[in-house]
Amino acid sequence: MGFVYQLFAFLVWVQLVRSQYPGLQVSITTDGTYSVKVNGRQWLSSAPTYFMADGAMFIGGKNGNLSLLQSSASSGYDRIGEWQTFDFFYSAGSSNITASIKTYPYELEDDFIMFSQTYHNGATRTNRADVSSVIGRFPAFSVGSQDPLVSLFYLAYGGIMVGDTGKSIGVWNKTDVAMGYGLSGGPLAIFDQEGNTVIISPFSQFMAASVTHPDLDNSVGWGVMGGVQKVPPNYQYDTILYYAKGINKVH
């Protein structure tokens, strides 16, 4: 089984899903990390996943305490079309949580990635001291371009009036990003000089959804707002990453 998992991890790392569009690709490894490429260039690299449960934070990574029990891939069909998904099954204290990455690689009209958190048996004592943070972070990305040959910029919505009053725009790098978060946060668009654009936004549970930045490690992540104290069983929260050529088209 060890060889099978190593081979499987290698194949997934090379590329789990490839869209019909040449623009958007996601690469995933069985250790819980993932990255997003646009036109063959790496734009985004994952930051560690974490979940609050039993009054403690469980964080992934080599030195973390979040237990990755299993990772698996599957595929199927729904009303949108053929999908492929990769699931990370975590144990966070007494809570069992799956973090999933789902794509529709053969759909010609839309190019997007869906990220989901599913609390199978719920979670208690999940709230954090900073209510503007999140109780579970997935997806999460390090701030700044991951390719020295790619210059990226961002437009972050926030505040009221459909995110217009608190919006910010600037260079997507490790020192200059200043975006709203928590209750004042909103969708995030990242784009290059040629107009290639990805926009990341909650896709479900909108009244409970939140975005956190700079968080623990100068990253940006999505999840359920930090003041939530209890999550019911089978609760699912979704985030969408959508790609298009042209910042106006992606909106």
Side-chain angles (χ1 to χ4, degrees), residues 74-78 81-85 102-105:
S74 59
S75 61
Y77 293 85
D78 60 21
E82 183 178 355
W83 53 262
Q84 296 178 353
T85 188
K102 185 178 186 180
T103 66
Y104 292 83

Side-chain angles (χ1 to χ4, degrees), residues 64 93 107 121 151 191 215 222:
E107 297 307 305
N121 62 333
S151 296
F191 55 96
D215 210 0
W222 288 262

Side-chain angles (χ1 to χ4, degrees), residues 25-36:
Q25 296 175 322
V26 57
S27 297
I28 306 169
T29 61
T30 53
D31 65 357
T33 59
Y34 47 93
S35 61
V36 175

Side-chain angles (χ1 to χ4, degrees), residues 22-229:
L24 185 67
Q25 296 175 322
V26 57
S27 297
I28 306 169
T29 61
T30 53
D31 65 357
T33 59
Y34 47 93
S35 61
V36 175
K37 292 183 178 181
V38 174
N39 293 327
R41 295 288 187 181
Q42 186 169 324
W43 277 29
L44 299 171
S45 179
S46 62
T49 297
Y50 67 67
F51 297 104
M52 295 292 299
D54 305 328
M57 175 179 284
F58 297 87
I59 188 167
K62 294 181 179 180
N63 299 317
N65 58 346
L66 179 64
S67 298
L68 177 58
L69 303 180
Q70 183 180 357
S71 53
S72 63
S74 59
S75 61
Y77 293 85
D78 60 21
R79 62 183 181 179
I80 298 176
E82 183 178 355
W83 53 262
Q84 296 178 353
T85 188
F86 196 90
D87 298 322
F88 302 108
F89 187 70
Y90 290 105
S91 174
S94 61
S95 296
N96 298 321
I97 306 168
T98 295
S100 304
I101 301 175
K102 185 178 186 180
T103 66
Y104 292 83
Y106 306 111
E107 297 307 305
L108 296 179
E109 295 186 6
D110 297 297
D111 211 10
F112 62 91
I113 305 167
M114 192 75 70
F115 299 86
S116 301
Q117 306 174 22
T118 303
Y119 290 76
H120 297 288
N121 62 333
T124 59
R125 298 168 59 202
T126 55
N127 57 299
R128 297 180 63 182
D130 180 6
V131 297
S132 295
S133 58
V134 294
I135 65 169
R137 189 176 75 170
F138 181 85
F141 299 105
S142 299
V143 171
S145 175
Q146 304 301 303
D147 188 325
L149 299 180
V150 177
S151 296
L152 296 177
F153 310 88
Y154 77 95
L155 170 62
Y157 293 90
I160 60 175
M161 303 298 290
V162 200
D164 185 65
T165 59
K167 67 177 181 293
S168 59
I169 189 169
V171 179
W172 181 252
N173 60 32
K174 295 181 179 180
T175 58
D176 296 333
V177 173
M179 55 179 284
Y181 57 92
L183 295 178
S184 64
L188 171 66
I190 302 172
F191 55 96
D192 65 11
Q193 293 174 321
E194 298 177 355
N196 294 292
T197 307
V198 298
I199 188 165
I200 311 171
S201 173
F203 198 68
S204 69
Q205 312 292 354
F206 300 106
M207 297 302 294
S210 187
V211 58
T212 179
H213 173 266
D215 210 0
L216 307 174
D217 46 12
N218 194 29
S219 62
V220 57
W222 288 262
V224 175
M225 63 179 63
V228 171
Q229 300 180 14

